[in-house]
Amino acid sequence: MFYHVKDLQYHAKPDRPDPVFAKKLQEVLGGQYGEISVMMQYLFQGWNVRGNGKYKDLLMDIGTEEIAHVEMLATLIARLLDNTPDLELDDAVDDPVVAAILGGSNPQHVIVSGLGAMPVDSVGNRWTANYIGASGNLIADFRANLMAESMGRLQVSRLYEMTNDKGVRDTLSWLIARDTAHQNQWYAAIRELEEKENIVVPSTFPRELEKQQVAYTLFNFSQGDESAEGRWAHGPSMDGCGTFNYVDRPVAFAPAPHLPPAPPYIFDTPPWAMRKSDDLPDPDTK
């Protein structure tokens, strides 16, 4: 059961209207790493936990807080759109300021949403559930959450530097701080589970069923050998179950594949047309 409290979690009041910045803010509302994404990701992860306990409670705590952040940003965007002066397209010819506003704002904020926020990113892409992950494996999910909070905090920090509006900066400062808290919380949960399970996901797949001879190998598949200098190339593996090794010149483990022609009813390119030339037929496409 959810219960809506009408008060905002924190202030969302700009000092002045700014339709251009309202469009930019849409990224951290409806973008890939925006508040809608983390809200949906954490809540679905929480709903999918089979059983109760502290991990489910953590997911529901933070997921529900993200609903509040969606409301804050929606309110901030609406207020940035309030009292925007009427601008005429003809004026843009003579006034570069008018041209910049018309070119940088989102016309759908007027035409579609009636001076309100939308579930879209800063260039109008609709929010999609493709942005979220809820696998049922808590280490995998918490790592995805840590990444999402890292990207979200990065984007909000960039937006902070794009405005000198004290009210907007105050709101963004709150969100940046909450992203700091959430990164620390997800990392704490990851570390705790890693101590219980080990770091490789899933921890329950039988080790004897994976090719152990390549489980800790770094193949040098790029020019240069600088990667050989890293911790990931030598010494005990991070999971404590193997030893890193570095292969400078990787070799193939299997010969080139040779597929038989498809049946005629598939209508692939016929084998005779795949020959290298009439003089030197490809023996594999007789």
Side-chain angles (χ1 to χ4, degrees), residues 46 99 116 163 165 187:
T163 182
D165 186 302
Y187 191 53

Side-chain angles (χ1 to χ4, degrees), residues 50 77 208:
R50 293 181 176 271
I77 289 170
E208 65 272 15

Side-chain angles (χ1 to χ4, degrees), residues 101-197:
I101 294 174
L102 287 173
S105 60
N106 184 354
Q108 289 195 332
H109 276 155
V110 177
I111 301 168
V112 176
S113 66
L115 305 181
M118 297 183 295
V120 303
D121 66 14
S122 56
V123 293
N125 297 310
R126 269 31 185 178
W127 185 86
T128 169
N130 292 332
Y131 294 157
I132 72 169
S135 71
N137 184 293
L138 289 179
I139 296 181
D141 284 349
F142 290 168
R143 286 174 178 169
N145 298 351
L146 178 60
M147 186 275 290
E149 292 285 351
S150 301
M151 295 297 286
R153 189 173 189 273
L154 174 62
Q155 292 181 354
V156 176
S157 297
R158 288 170 173 167
L159 282 165
Y160 184 94
E161 296 297 330
M162 293 181 185
T163 182
N164 58 10
D165 186 302
K166 292 181 179 178
V168 172
R169 280 192 159 190
D170 185 51
T171 305
L172 298 183
S173 178
W174 167 274
L175 293 173
I176 291 168
R178 295 309 298 154
D179 286 346
T180 297
H182 294 161
Q183 285 189 49
N184 277 278
Q185 289 151 7
W186 293 130
Y187 191 53
I190 292 167
R191 292 289 298 273
E192 183 173 291
L193 282 170
E194 286 177 346
E195 290 177 4
K196 296 177 181 179
E197 293 192 55

Side-chain angles (χ1 to χ4, degrees), residues 197-261:
E197 293 192 55
N198 208 321
I199 68 169
V200 176
V201 175
S203 64
T204 51
F205 186 82
R207 287 176 53 81
E208 65 272 15
L209 298 182
E210 66 175 287
K211 300 291 184 184
Q212 286 294 305
Q213 64 267 36
V214 294
Y216 300 99
T217 298
L218 174 62
F219 293 114
N220 181 25
F221 281 126
S222 61
Q223 190 175 33
D225 58 2
E226 290 84 356
S227 60
E229 302 171 6
R231 170 66 181 84
W232 49 81
H234 305 284
S237 61
M238 307 314 293
D239 62 6
C241 298
T243 301
F244 287 132
N245 64 93
Y246 179 84
V247 175
D248 184 37
R249 293 179 176 82
V251 297
F253 286 85
H258 297 292
L259 303 178

Side-chain angles (χ1 to χ4, degrees), residues 59-70:
L59 284 162
M60 298 307 299
D61 282 340
I62 302 179
T64 303
E65 180 183 358
E66 301 297 359
I67 302 176
H69 294 177
V70 170

